[in-house]
Amino acid sequence: KSGDRVAQSAREIRGRVAVFPLDLPPGSTRTIYLRFKTAGNMAMPLTLFPAEKFVERRAAVQLVIGLYFGLMLIMTVYNFVIFLSVRELSYLYYVLFVAAHALFQAFLLGIAQEYLWPNGTDWTDDGLVFFASLALAFSALFTREFLHTRRLLPKLSMVIDGCLVLALVNCVAAFLVPYSVAIRITNASLVLYSLIYIAAAIVAYRRGYTPARYYLTAWAFPSAAAVVLALKNYGLLAGTTFTNSALQIGSVLEIVLLSLALTDRINLLRQEKLTAEHRLIESQKAALRATKEKLYFDNLTGLPNRNRLLLDVDTFVQPHLLLVNVDQFKQINDYFGNKVGDQVLIELMHRIQAFQREVDSKLYKLHADEFALVIDGDMSAERCLRLGNALHDYCHDRPYAVNDRFVRLDVSVGISNEPGFLLEHADMALTEARRAHTSVHMYDESMHTKQEYENNLKWVGILRDALSNDAIVPYFQPIVDNGTRRVSKYESLMRIRDRENHVIAPGSFIRVAKASKLYPELSRRMIAKTFDALAGCPLPFTLNVSIDDIVSTETLDVIRAGLSDYGRSGSVVFEILESEGIHRYDLASGFIAEMKERGCGIAIDDFGSGYSNFEHILKLRVDYLKLNSSLIRNLDIDEQARAVVIPIVDFSRRLGIKTVAEFVHSQAVYRQVATMGIDYSQGHYFGAATPEPVDPDAHLT
């Protein structure tokens, strides 16, 4: 007695196949009758062995089987470790498929009956069908995930989904329907699924999905093995070691090739990821270029604008600035309209460019009707004045054609040779030219030295008096979250109360404070008082710091002490003026790194007012960008301002940087700010700065 329905303990010789001892003396003859019964198909090869040869053959076969299942175990563990690393579902489905397939082979080869369930005869047939069907279910999941069938092969994907459902149903049927029925469904499924998978791989490969080539080859081997086994069972092929082991050989090749296919797919995904990252970087660079175009170039003329001039001014060695302004240009716009005014400005640009052919220079278009011509080089004041007069003649001598009429323009030219105050002094010279009714004027210190000196002395006295009387006070302006429309934080702003109890904003005295070296003490008083005032405040607050604060050891000590006493570093944001600190990121980066390590936030204030260098923003790793009032003030009606703000907001959002709109002074501006996706708003629409923070529960209706 032996076979699947006989427990190992009841067999005469234990083993994965039926073995019977026979006593056959040499030269003797014996007739042996075999009676067998099966619910499926059966091939009954009979081999007669001498006892010694049987032991040797059995050991050799067991070794091969051990190597086979060892390989299955290695592939399972290896790919499961990869899955834990990459978290790619294809690897998980592959591991489950290999594990289920190995158990199916264990039942098919009799290994399960010999070692796993030696006395579980009822489980023998059910286990064979169950694990075969489970392997088919996981193969469907693997195929769907590996070949991206839902995206590449939507129709075949529906067929594969049907295969998955059928396999799961057959897993249950293994325990409910007769074995003869279940095994026939399983055998038919093996053939059908192989054909479907091969068809899917061919279509996917033709559509450019290269990893499908390994997959196609992998499924070809078990399909060929099934054909070989069928031919052997029908007696069309001899029962050799190869034909008897065709399924195992095919499955080994399949498992190895599928593992190679997974490796190829991961390499493809990595390449696609690198390509996608490269495209994202290129798109960001393009967005940055477009943003720079809008930030640094005039929309009408295409010339570099004031922002660009402010950025370039430090690169000039011996600059001479000729500022050209059209007198009473508003009358042309009012009488002829803005389009005609634009045509006049373009013609004026062409005349200045014609003048440029005679002198090496760089032309900028500033606001409204103003152009700036910078000549960089060693040149006397007399020659510079002669060039200014020549430029005036180029712009003034001939009339301008406007709608078949001719208009004569009067222009004024202001000249400056002072590198540190190039624009300011040229503007003062331009004002003096108009006041004195002269066409060209060069800056002279006598224009305002006495007045400035007297003004400075007055402010130094006010500042010293404020320090003596402890009259430096922080005022707090609310910052509103555009999502919740509630106050989310405050900005602390420096104010001075004079003897008449007037409140003075820093715009009136900050330049004098820095020139007179009183600024460090003003800043330290301001920082300390802010921490004291907001010690019990539940909301975060922001503090303005300049490059002078960042490089001052004493000021940094006050900041550190305030953070330690305050105990809520995560609620403090430091604002660095773009025009001061952004281009000195070598100095700013150390301060930023320390503050971020303490949990503080970093904001760039007045972004868009000057340098607006995105490269430095990336290096400094800031948390907020505060958009300058020049961009926000007329945002509801100024299309050019919106064109500049949109890419800044998009750039910030991509990098996880929050944006704050300053100078939100009306409901129309606020609506535009909120519509454009800016995160926070600040301005007189919500309230001016006050000595006490406004109610944090205030709600903007």
Side-chain angles (χ1 to χ4, degrees):
K1 280 189 175 182
S2 188
D4 294 343
R5 292 298 183 180
V6 178
Q8 292 285 337
S9 58
R11 299 185 187 186
E12 195 168 355
I13 297 179
R14 297 169 62 100
R16 67 182 187 86
V17 297
V19 180
F20 304 98
L22 298 175
D23 184 13
L24 293 175
S28 63
T29 300
R30 179 177 295 179
T31 300
I32 299 171
Y33 296 93
L34 298 178
R35 185 178 68 180
F36 60 89
K37 181 180 180 181
T38 179
N41 63 328
M42 174 182 285
M44 185 64 78
L46 298 176
T47 307
L48 195 63
F49 285 101
E52 298 81 1
K53 292 292 183 180
F54 170 73
V55 173
E56 292 177 4
R57 172 64 180 272
R58 186 177 191 182
V61 171
Q62 293 291 82
L63 175 62
V64 172
I65 291 175
L67 291 174
Y68 172 78
F69 284 102
L71 176 63
M72 290 289 189
L73 179 62
I74 290 171
M75 297 304 291
T76 302
V77 174
Y78 170 73
N79 285 280
F80 183 69
V81 171
I82 295 178
F83 164 72
L84 294 177
S85 175
V86 302
R87 298 293 176 176
E88 172 66 33
L89 276 178
S90 295
Y91 275 98
L92 177 61
Y93 294 148
Y94 171 85
V95 167
L96 294 173
F97 166 68
V98 174
H101 185 78
L103 287 169
F104 160 67
Q105 290 288 347
F107 275 93
L108 189 65
L109 294 171
I111 296 298
Q113 296 90 325
E114 184 176 2
Y115 295 107
L116 301 180
W117 296 280
N119 297 314
T121 56
D122 292 337
W123 172 238
T124 299
D125 293 339
D126 296 341
L128 179 66
V129 174
F130 174 77
F131 285 111
S133 301
L134 191 63
L136 288 175
F138 288 131
S139 72
L141 288 169
F142 174 77
T143 300
R144 189 175 66 184
E145 184 70 22
F146 182 85
L147 294 180
H148 296 299
T149 58
R150 289 180 174 174
R151 176 168 57 87
L152 296 176
L153 319 164
K155 292 183 179 179
L156 275 174
S157 184
M158 295 175 63
V159 176
I160 293 172
D161 289 344
C163 292
L164 171 62
V165 173
L166 179 61
L168 293 175
V169 169
N170 210 36
C171 286
V172 178
F175 305 99
L176 302 177
V177 303
Y179 171 75
S180 59
V181 176
I183 194 62
R184 284 178 173 81
I185 296 175
T186 303
N187 288 335
S189 299
L190 286 169
V191 176
L192 177 63
Y193 285 29
S194 296
L195 293 175
I196 293 172
Y197 295 164
I198 290 172
I202 292 172
V203 176
Y205 184 70
R206 285 183 174 177
R207 293 184 180 177
Y209 186 62
T210 55
R213 64 183 185 272
Y214 284 115
Y215 182 91
L216 177 61
T217 308
W219 275 103
F221 280 109
S223 301
V227 172
V228 170
L229 185 63
L231 293 175
K232 188 209 73 166
N233 288 343
Y234 285 108
L236 299 176
L237 288 178
T240 64
T241 302
F242 172 75
T243 56
N244 289 333
S245 306
L247 278 182
Q248 288 72 43
I249 295 172
S251 66
V252 166
L253 294 172
E254 176 192 25
I255 297 305
V256 172
L257 285 170
L258 286 179
S259 182
L260 292 175
L262 279 172
T263 303
D264 189 51
R265 181 175 184 271
I266 290 298
N267 290 334
L268 179 63
L269 290 175
R270 186 179 294 113
Q271 185 60 42
E272 289 176 347
K273 181 180 179 183
L274 291 174
T275 302
E277 290 176 349
H278 176 72
R279 288 176 179 171
L280 177 60
I281 291 172
E282 289 300 316
S283 67
Q284 289 176 341
K285 287 181 178 178
L288 287 177
R289 285 193 296 270
T291 302
K292 286 183 177 180
E293 287 290 325
K294 293 171 181 175
L295 283 175
Y296 297 128
F297 292 89
D298 177 64
N299 189 48
L300 174 64
T301 63
L303 292 174
N305 61 12
R306 183 184 180 87
N307 290 337
R308 187 72 235 182
L309 176 57
L310 290 172
L311 193 63
D312 292 345
V313 72
D314 290 336
T315 66
F316 298 129
V317 181
Q318 292 180 295
H320 310 271
L321 175 62
L322 283 68
L323 203 59
V324 181
N325 189 276
V326 181
D327 298 336
Q328 298 178 340
F329 183 72
K330 185 176 183 298
Q331 294 180 2
I332 296 176
N333 274 337
D334 291 344
Y335 186 76
F336 295 103
N338 291 334
K339 289 186 178 179
V340 172
D342 290 344
Q343 293 174 10
V344 171
L345 290 176
I346 291 173
E347 175 61 25
L348 177 59
M349 175 190 70
H350 291 156
R351 295 192 184 189
I352 299 175
Q353 288 173 331
F355 171 79
Q356 278 188 282
R357 299 189 187 102
E358 300 182 10
V359 59
D360 186 18
S361 58
K362 192 166 184 179
L363 180 61
Y364 299 83
K365 169 66 167 62
L366 307 188
H367 60 81
D369 55 342
E370 196 165 85
F371 292 84
L373 191 69
V374 178
I375 305 170
D376 192 16
D378 187 12
M379 184 167 53
S380 66
E382 292 77 10
R383 172 167 168 71
C384 191
L385 188 58
R386 286 197 302 273
L387 288 174
N389 282 292
L391 176 59
H392 172 267
D393 293 342
Y394 261 86
C395 300
H396 175 74
D397 281 355
R398 291 179 292 108
Y400 292 72
V402 177
N403 289 349
D404 299 327
R405 298 174 61 183
F406 291 95
V407 176
R408 184 171 293 280
L409 292 186
D410 291 325
V411 299
S412 300
V413 179
I415 304 173
S416 169
N417 298 314
E418 298 289 332
F421 302 94
L422 203 62
L423 262 174
E424 295 89 337
H425 288 175
D427 193 60
M428 292 175 67
L430 192 64
T431 302
E432 181 64 19
R434 286 174 170 170
R435 187 191 65 78
H437 301 290
T438 58
S439 300
V440 181
H441 198 94
M442 180 175 286
Y443 171 78
D444 185 345
E445 286 189 5
S446 63
M447 289 167 52
H448 76 301
T449 301
K450 182 179 179 181
Q451 180 183 356
E452 183 178 10
Y453 180 72
E454 292 175 352
N455 189 57
N456 287 350
L457 285 178
K458 181 191 77 171
W459 279 111
V460 168
I462 292 173
L463 293 175
R464 291 188 186 280
D465 190 57
L467 287 170
S468 299
N469 296 314
D470 197 25
I472 294 90
V473 293
Y475 270 48
F476 305 99
Q477 186 170 33
I479 300 175
V480 172
D481 187 319
N482 291 334
T484 63
R485 301 168 75 92
R486 292 184 180 277
V487 176
S488 63
K489 55 178 72 70
Y490 308 99
E491 180 178 2
S492 179
L493 300 167
M494 183 188 295
R495 297 290 187 268
I496 286 178
R497 282 202 182 99
D498 64 11
R499 290 180 179 273
E500 287 75 32
N501 207 32
H502 296 144
V503 178
I504 307 170
S508 303
F509 59 79
I510 201 70
R511 184 182 62 81
V512 177
K514 290 187 176 182
S516 61
K517 299 183 180 180
L518 295 174
Y519 171 77
E521 182 59 29
L522 289 172
S523 182
R524 288 193 283 271
R525 297 269 188 100
M526 172 67 183
I527 292 168
K529 287 194 173 187
T530 297
F531 278 112
D532 289 342
L534 295 176
C537 180
L539 295 183
F541 64 91
T542 70
L543 266 171
N544 290 283
V545 292
S546 68
I547 199 68
D548 297 322
D549 298 317
I550 290 172
V551 299
S552 169
T553 303
E554 293 84 356
T555 304
L556 288 178
D557 288 341
V558 173
I559 290 173
R560 293 179 183 120
L563 290 173
S564 298
D565 295 340
Y566 184 60
R568 288 169 54 209
S569 299
S571 298
V572 182
V573 178
F574 290 98
E575 295 186 17
I576 303 174
L577 279 173
E578 183 209 7
S579 55
E580 291 190 6
I582 191 75
H583 66 295
R584 298 296 306 277
Y585 69 88
D586 54 328
L587 298 176
S589 58
F591 171 78
I592 290 175
E594 179 184 348
M595 293 302 111
K596 288 182 79 71
E597 186 175 349
R598 290 174 176 265
C600 301
I602 300 296
I604 296 300
D605 198 9
D606 283 346
F607 188 77
S609 63
Y611 295 94
S612 302
N613 193 317
F614 288 101
E615 180 182 359
H616 294 316
I617 296 297
L618 293 171
K619 289 181 179 179
L620 293 173
R621 300 185 301 112
V622 303
D623 304 291
Y624 301 88
L625 285 184
K626 299 193 74 174
L627 305 182
N628 181 255
S629 59
S630 63
L631 297 176
I632 302 300
R633 182 182 289 109
N634 298 317
L635 196 63
D636 56 326
I637 58 174
D638 189 342
E639 292 185 5
Q640 185 172 352
R642 290 198 292 269
V644 172
V645 170
I646 287 172
I648 294 176
V649 174
D650 181 61
F651 166 84
S652 303
R653 187 181 296 112
R654 287 171 181 262
L655 296 180
I657 299 173
K658 299 293 185 182
T659 47
V660 185
E662 299 181 297
F663 207 82
V664 178
H665 59 90
S666 68
Q667 186 180 50
V669 171
Y670 174 65
R671 285 177 177 172
Q672 188 64 49
V673 163
T675 300
M676 296 176 73
I678 298 174
D679 299 293
Y680 300 95
S681 293
Q682 179 179 356
H684 281 214
Y685 179 58
F686 311 108
T690 56
E692 298 293 334
V694 300
D695 181 6
D697 293 325
H699 183 80
L700 181 65
T701 58

